Amino acid sequence: MDKITLSRMQFFGNHGVFPEENKLGQRFYVDVELVLPLDKPGRSDALEDTVNYGEVFFRVKDIVEGKTFKLIEALAENIASELLHHYTSINEVTVRVIKPHPPFAVLFDGVTVEINRKQA
């Protein structure tokens, strides 16, 4: 199946279990893979025959920057649900949320949650 992938979208959000995370916020990275047929837009060269990835970016931005979640698992689930609900041409979506600086004293580059959901 064909895919549209939006990689390393950067947003500032207030997600986390600790109150200071909700107050101060931090940067998050989000990857979204959309599985959908791209043969029709490939032939027609028409935006209305595909998913507008600029619009997808702003939908994800609204969720990451406009809501607060304790868990990045819940953030990923909300993004996947919104995209599948709004774009019925998407058969499947994979969402990766990366929290590059978790608030505890260990040395690693971050935490990533990846979920995969299919159209009902």
Side-chain angles (χ1 to χ4, degrees):
M1 188 57 78
D2 307 323
K3 291 182 185 179
I4 295 174
T5 303
L6 288 80
S7 301
R8 296 290 282 186
M9 295 181 285
Q10 296 184 41
F11 306 108
F12 193 86
N14 296 76
H15 313 291
V17 174
F18 301 110
E20 57 272 11
E21 292 179 288
N22 302 141
K23 183 178 178 184
L24 300 174
Q26 71 173 54
R27 183 181 334 212
F28 291 84
Y29 299 105
V30 178
D31 300 335
V32 174
E33 288 182 4
L34 310 172
V35 176
L36 69 161
L38 296 176
D39 53 332
K40 184 176 180 182
R43 288 189 305 272
S44 71
D45 198 24
L47 183 60
E48 60 271 7
D49 290 337
T50 189
V51 170
N52 181 334
Y53 56 80
E55 187 179 288
V56 170
F57 172 88
F58 286 107
R59 285 188 178 279
V60 174
K61 182 181 191 305
D62 287 346
I63 294 167
V64 177
E65 295 185 352
K67 297 181 180 183
T68 300
F69 298 94
K70 291 179 183 172
L71 302 177
I72 58 175
E73 292 90 328
L75 173 58
E77 188 69 40
N78 198 274
I79 292 168
S81 294
E82 169 65 20
L83 295 177
L84 288 171
H85 174 76
H86 186 77
Y87 300 101
T88 56
S89 62
I90 296 173
N91 297 319
E92 185 176 338
V93 63
T94 299
V95 177
R96 278 180 223 79
V97 176
I98 301 128
K99 187 174 193 172
H101 304 290
F104 40 86
V106 292
L107 297 176
F108 59 92
D109 286 338
V111 175
T112 301
V113 167
E114 179 176 317
I115 65 168
N116 180 274
R117 299 293 179 263
K118 296 182 180 187
Q119 196 67 261

